[in-house]
Amino acid sequence: MTIIDPKPPGEGASFGNAGCLNGSSIVPMSMPGMLKNVPGWMFDPMGPLSVRWSYLPKIAPWLVRFVQSGTPAKVTAQAQALRALLGPTVATMTDLAREAGAGDLVRHDGHIYVYRSEEGFQKDQAGWSLRRENGVRLEYLDRDELRDFDPVLSPRFVRGVLIPENGHTTNPSKLVKSLVEHALRNGATLIAASATGVALDGATVRAVQTDRGDVPAESVVIAAGAHSKPFADRLGDRVLLDTERGYHLMIADPEVRPKLPTTEAEGKFVVTMMEGGLRLAGTVELGGLDLPPDWRRARVLLDHARQLLPALSSSYDEKRLSQWMGFRPSLPDSLPVIGRSAATPDVLYGFGHGHVGMTGAPMTARVLAELVSGETPALDLKPFSPRRFM
Ligand SMILES: Cc1cc2nc3c(=O)[nH]c(=O)nc-3n(C[C@H](O)[C@H](O)[C@H](O)COP(=O)(O)OP(=O)(O)OC[C@H]3O[C@@H](n4cnc5c(N)ncnc54)[C@H](O)[C@@H]3O)c2cc1C
């Protein structure tokens, strides 16, 4: 196996995510009734969702499909497909990390969602029902139980939902690097180059073309995250891949350490205790791959986190803070693209995991390995078809 990447492993979107390995993250982004919240979010530049206006014409077809994906029937099917993809993650990632000598980077101790208002909790009921219907066990906490569970959370929060089955990694980038190093020790090769295309002789793969020359190949997997679309376009597959940009802010040596990764459900961000400090991660910005980051969106996470964790300092020396922006590779129906290309069965796709790429990686990798080896995949791949947008 040869990995071709211009950057070192674990430096893309996988570098700065919230580290959650949530098999319960099966609620699509586009939900019935969600549309009425969107204008409020979009006109608040520091809200959980924002659009860079200059990018709006480009992302319009994606947005249309996003809205169309939010019917009750489609959402039920998407959640079932996501559960099959994500459900086995914690167990699989734990085994993989152990094999790679990085078992200490994966925890299996749950995830908690918290709500500032009863109204916010009630608005999310459709999502909680979807999770329950797909076999996710939930534990509901009232205000007092929440305070007992994790005293660092502000007493303003009135509701909590604990999901014991979930896990997380304390260093997503290091986990990816460890897995790649393990593969290299077992015979894989890493080439630091940018792929530009796949050379075919009819329907037979000849090589991966790169800026450093051709790399001979028999089977190719396109897994370049948010950068995968041009490859699919050239192979005749019109996938509606775009990016939901997200941000994180990290506080080194924080005053508080939340017991579990905690989602502030109404603010739509996650706080996770990581090896390098407390990571505040979230927000969605529709702005494509080329516009510069709007760092105010990372900074605003700190204001929101102070409402959640009142013991955080009211001011920080800049040396303790670091910020990051990454490109979630997103399809409008919240499902990745996993399957064979139209041009040849020997080019496969594994990209577009949106908000759950860290979590979706183990099963995606397993299925791709099965397809390359000619085995029947462990997952029904119909919902993930590259041709579902045609
Ligand atoms: C703020 C934020 C929080 C998140 N939190 C979570 C979370 O808690 N849990 C979760 O599961 N997911 C989370 N995600 C989503 C997750 O990070 C992504 O879905 C995942 O990292 C995507 O992985 P990937 O390997 O497809 O893409 P990437 O990690 O971006 O990797 C793509 C790779 O392709 C390479 N590449 C690009 N172009 C080329 C080319 N031409 N040739 C060769 N290589 C190329 C890049 O260099 C990169 O190494 C979060 C994302 C963000 C932004």
Side-chain angles (χ1 to χ4, degrees):
M1 180 179 72
T2 304
I3 304 164
I4 301 170
D5 196 319
K7 291 205 237 159
E11 298 287 321
S14 306
F15 176 86
N17 63 47
C20 305
L21 301 172
N22 289 353
S24 67
S25 286
I26 58 169
V27 180
M29 296 305 288
S30 179
M31 285 287 285
M34 192 212 58
L35 209 52
K36 59 180 182 301
N37 298 326
V38 172
W41 285 337
M42 292 207 325
F43 289 105
D44 172 3
M46 292 303 114
L49 168 69
S50 83
V51 183
R52 301 285 282 264
W53 293 108
S54 62
Y55 195 67
L56 190 57
K58 274 201 183 146
I59 203 168
W62 187 98
L63 282 171
V64 169
R65 192 62 185 242
F66 180 81
V67 172
Q68 290 170 344
S69 301
T71 67
K74 286 183 183 166
V75 158
T76 301
Q78 290 153 9
Q80 281 168 2
L82 281 170
R83 184 64 174 159
L85 181 72
L86 308 179
T89 291
V90 180
T92 325
M93 194 68 108
T94 303
D95 289 348
L96 285 169
R98 273 198 201 125
E99 271 175 46
D104 58 318
L105 295 179
V106 178
R107 305 274 162 84
H108 186 184
D109 40 16
H111 186 105
I112 190 160
Y113 286 73
V114 297
Y115 288 88
R116 278 179 252 141
S117 70
E118 184 61 31
E119 191 197 350
F121 176 64
Q122 292 306 333
K123 270 192 190 157
D124 273 0
Q125 286 313 305
W128 293 117
S129 302
L130 264 185
R131 291 182 181 93
R132 280 195 311 267
E133 285 156 17
N134 283 282
V136 178
R137 189 170 68 78
L138 308 172
E139 291 179 19
Y140 294 98
L141 279 64
D142 64 19
R143 186 198 288 254
D144 292 339
E145 288 164 334
L146 193 55
R147 192 123 18 104
D148 288 346
F149 180 79
D150 193 350
V152 305
L153 301 175
S154 161
R156 269 184 72 193
F157 283 77
V158 296
R159 285 281 196 166
V161 185
L162 176 65
I163 310 181
E165 69 164 53
N166 288 333
H168 73 283
T169 172
T170 51
N171 191 332
S173 176
K174 196 163 149 190
L175 178 59
V176 175
K177 287 181 199 306
S178 305
L179 294 171
V180 171
E181 280 158 17
H182 182 60
L184 298 179
R185 283 194 296 274
N186 284 280
T189 311
L190 180 62
I191 297 180
S194 195
T196 52
V198 182
L200 300 175
D201 273 338
T204 306
V205 172
R206 201 169 42 75
V208 176
Q209 297 156 319
T210 82
D211 59 356
R212 294 188 49 203
D214 284 6
V215 179
E218 288 169 12
S219 299
V220 175
V221 173
I222 311 285
H227 306 271
S228 304
K229 184 170 165 44
F231 295 95
D233 283 347
R234 272 181 241 126
L235 291 158
D237 290 306
R238 185 181 161 268
V239 292
L240 275 177
L241 178 71
D242 212 292
T243 178
E244 293 175 78
R245 296 148 57 120
Y247 291 81
H248 88 213
L249 188 107
M250 281 197 70
I251 308 169
D253 193 18
E255 296 74 15
V256 280
R257 306 170 73 86
K259 189 167 166 180
L260 289 183
T262 304
T263 296
E264 207 279 48
E266 286 147 284
K268 307 212 177 303
F269 67 96
V270 185
V271 296
T272 308
M273 216 33 240
M274 297 256 169
E275 279 190 345
L278 181 66
R279 181 168 293 179
L280 324 173
T283 87
V284 168
E285 182 186 54
L286 303 177
L289 295 169
D290 299 323
L291 290 173
D294 177 355
W295 291 120
R296 293 174 305 166
R297 294 187 65 73
R299 291 291 158 151
V300 82
L301 289 169
L302 183 54
D303 298 335
H304 295 325
R306 286 192 181 108
Q307 310 288 318
L308 175 67
L309 305 167
L312 286 177
S313 173
S314 58
S315 72
Y316 285 101
D317 184 331
E318 282 299 312
K319 280 193 213 112
R320 282 178 65 195
L321 302 179
S322 57
Q323 58 195 16
W324 170 87
M325 190 267 284
F327 300 109
R328 294 185 190 92
S330 297
L331 279 305
D333 58 2
S334 300
L335 297 175
V337 169
I338 307 172
R340 301 187 191 277
S341 72
T344 162
D346 295 327
V347 175
L348 298 128
Y349 302 125
F351 60 78
H353 296 71
H355 292 245
V356 293
M358 198 78 203
T359 315
M363 188 56 116
T364 304
R366 175 176 167 186
V367 165
L368 289 169
E370 286 164 345
L371 289 173
V372 169
S373 323
E375 292 166 32
T376 307
L379 200 65
D380 172 14
L381 291 182
K382 243 182 272 132
F384 308 104
S385 167
R387 253 86 54 207
R388 66 189 190 269
F389 302 104
M390 292 193 160

